[in-house]
Amino acid sequence: MKYSIIKKSSIKPSNIFPSSAAVRSLVVFLLSGLLNHAATAATPVIEITIKDHLFYPAELILPANTKIKLLIHNSDPTPEEFESYELNREKVIAGNSRAVIFVGPLKPGTYPFFGEFYPKTAQGKILVF
Amino acid sequence: MLLNSVILILQETLEAALLIGVLLAISAHLHSSLRWLWYGLSLGAIIAFFCAINMSTLSAWFDYAGQEVLNAIMQSMICVFIIVLVWLISSVRPLPTAASHAYGNRFAQLCCLIIMLAVIREGQEIMLYLSGFLGNVEHVQKVFIGSGIGFGIGASVGILLFYGLLALPTAWQKPAMLTLLALFAGNMLAQSAVQLTQVDWIAQTAPLWDSSAWLAEDSMLGELLYALIGYESRPTAAQMLSYVSGISLVWLAALGGTYYAKQQNLNGHSADSITSGACVK
């Protein structure tokens, strides 16, 4: 499976403020305590597997303005660190274990991610449309 | 593999090294004993070791938010301890020499806790990273040499900061140290917001701005500024709010401490303070 595609129509919007402005995002942050809990149930899950220091799938296509739960299985015996400057995410995943990382809501664009411990091979990207 | 190890270990070491540099400079002013450094480093390393070997269990806590929640708690605690430390060094005027044991002990305990927490956070990642290569005959040598170099560069930057601070004109030293501590506190609180956003305990919002075109976080200067002042090219509102709160709280602690010291002086309660020639004003 190279691509994981989620149609936007199949996902309930989890963020009621499609914000780009600074003030709006501040309001969203302040309200997040209330909103977050209710939104969690509707969050779609995408699974990524790390095997032989490679990401499967290495390319994810996600809808814009949607929160996604990434479920990452590290099936290598060695630890890996999922990292993305563009997504502002960084997480160590021990060997043979699972990790959860939430990404989005994101604006359309390309968001590369990589495995910091094996960056030569562990490369991937999220394409948001 | 070698270069990658250098960069990775440097990234992880830099933050703790800079923090240690500032605390050492303050410690030098107070003529405090350096026991706190060794206690902090060794306690931190031991706890980091246990965190590293139990990483997959810890990560599974709180519905797979364990790692982030623990990191956020440790980062917030570093921020709180920095605030208390700033209050402590601001509220005693003039600063006592090592002769004042109670004061020196409190200072040393706070430094020890701050260093311990910083080492746990970064140490567990370094240990996990290195553990992955232990059985790897092809790479193990390169990885350990690279890590040694990265660690050496990180430590050197910390030492450079220490001597840099002490080389400043006396009148600038205290403001410089307080400014760095305030930035560290803000940085720690902002990083804890990032951690909680990653596991959706704080809602993700659109970045306030994107300065990655001017200064990328993965550039050399970007990495240094990240460790020193918490530079982030795409900060969210939660991050900014935490950053500003951390800085403001340290600033308030410095102001409050100074005011408290003045009141004490006016009331004549500070006659027992011992004046040190080399103390921070």
Side-chain angles (χ1 to χ4, degrees):
Chain A
M1 183 178 70
K2 199 180 174 203
Y3 295 101
S4 273
I5 303 173
I6 295 188
K7 281 180 190 149
K8 196 177 176 183
S9 56
S10 68
I11 299 162
K12 287 174 195 165
S14 55
N15 191 342
I16 61 165
F17 294 102
S19 63
S20 57
V23 179
R24 261 195 215 167
S25 46
L26 186 66
V27 172
V28 174
F29 165 63
L30 293 173
L31 292 175
S32 63
L34 295 170
L35 296 177
N36 245 12
H37 191 70
T40 312
T43 308
V45 180
I46 300 260
E47 297 194 25
I48 300 178
T49 302
I50 301 169
K51 179 79 189 147
D52 299 326
H53 314 305
L54 290 164
F55 288 111
Y56 298 95
E59 223 170 84
L60 304 171
I61 298 175
L62 304 181
N65 304 318
T66 311
K67 183 169 73 185
I68 307 285
K69 181 178 178 177
L70 296 179
L71 181 58
I72 306 171
H73 300 267
N74 181 5
S75 57
D76 284 334
T78 50
E80 183 56 280
E81 180 165 16
F82 179 95
E83 173 140 12
S84 169
Y85 291 104
E86 286 73 10
L87 296 164
N88 207 356
R89 293 290 181 264
E90 185 177 11
K91 182 163 188 162
V92 178
I93 309 161
N96 294 317
S97 39
R98 302 197 301 167
V100 169
I101 295 175
F102 286 84
V103 295
L106 295 167
K107 283 194 291 188
T110 305
Y111 300 83
F113 59 84
F114 62 101
E116 203 183 8
F117 292 177
Y118 299 87
K120 273 198 184 132
T121 49
Q123 293 279 347
K125 58 187 167 189
I126 293 178
L127 306 170
V128 177
F129 292 103
Chain B
M1 238 359 161
L2 184 96
L3 189 63
N4 183 48
S5 313
V6 175
I7 294 168
L8 192 134
I9 301 298
L10 176 59
Q11 281 175 352
E12 305 297 341
T13 319
L14 206 50
E15 207 172 84
L18 291 170
L19 195 51
I20 291 172
V22 179
L23 293 181
L24 273 179
I26 299 172
S27 195
H29 268 291
L30 300 176
H31 306 289
S32 162
S33 112
L34 289 184
R35 264 178 320 162
W36 59 264
L37 181 61
W38 311 120
Y39 282 127
L41 288 175
S42 41
L43 270 174
I46 293 165
I47 299 172
F49 176 76
F50 285 104
C51 288
I53 55 176
N54 293 306
M55 180 60 90
S56 69
T57 314
L58 296 179
S59 288
W61 285 1
F62 309 110
D63 198 16
Y64 288 96
Q67 200 187 115
E68 283 83 353
V69 172
L70 289 176
N71 279 340
I73 291 172
M74 286 194 277
Q75 283 157 337
S76 308
M77 277 165 68
I78 292 178
C79 177
V80 170
F81 290 139
I82 289 177
I83 292 166
V84 178
L85 186 84
V86 167
W87 167 271
L88 186 72
I89 55 179
S90 306
S91 65
V92 183
R93 279 191 160 205
L95 282 180
T97 61
S100 173
H101 282 298
Y103 177 83
N105 281 343
R106 254 178 296 157
F107 173 80
Q109 282 160 3
L110 281 168
C111 288
C112 176
L113 285 169
I114 292 171
I115 299 305
M116 183 191 81
L117 289 167
V119 171
I120 297 174
R121 252 170 30 75
E122 308 295 3
Q124 59 184 6
E125 279 191 40
I126 294 176
M127 287 174 189
L128 272 174
Y129 173 66
L130 294 178
S131 73
F133 291 97
L134 278 179
N136 188 330
V137 186
E138 191 188 346
H139 292 308
V140 70
Q141 202 178 0
K142 283 181 193 166
V143 165
F144 275 80
I145 292 172
S147 302
I149 296 171
F151 184 80
I153 300 172
S156 308
V157 175
I159 293 167
L160 209 64
L161 181 68
F162 168 73
Y163 282 111
L165 279 170
L166 293 186
L168 284 176
T170 318
W172 293 8
Q173 291 187 357
K174 191 180 176 188
M177 289 171 189
L178 287 178
T179 306
L180 283 172
L181 285 179
L183 292 168
F184 277 128
N187 186 6
M188 284 298 129
L189 218 51
Q191 283 189 33
S192 68
V194 175
Q195 293 286 321
L196 294 180
T197 308
Q198 180 159 298
V199 286
D200 202 33
W201 282 31
I202 293 175
Q204 172 76 47
T205 54
L208 295 178
W209 67 76
D210 184 352
S211 55
S212 57
W214 295 314
L215 180 56
E217 271 170 65
D218 52 348
S219 67
M220 212 53 213
L221 184 63
E223 293 285 1
L224 184 67
L225 288 180
Y226 172 77
L228 195 60
I229 64 166
Y231 172 72
E232 185 81 63
S233 59
R234 300 171 190 81
T236 61
Q239 260 176 285
M240 272 314 281
L241 202 68
S242 319
Y243 190 64
V244 173
S245 308
I247 291 175
S248 311
L249 286 169
V250 170
W251 185 68
L252 280 175
L255 276 186
T258 311
Y259 178 76
Y260 175 79
K262 272 189 189 151
Q263 293 296 110
Q264 293 280 303
N265 276 334
L266 286 177
N267 297 337
H269 289 316
S270 66
D272 52 345
S273 296
I274 301 155
T275 315
S276 157
C279 73
V280 185
K281 274 186 201 164

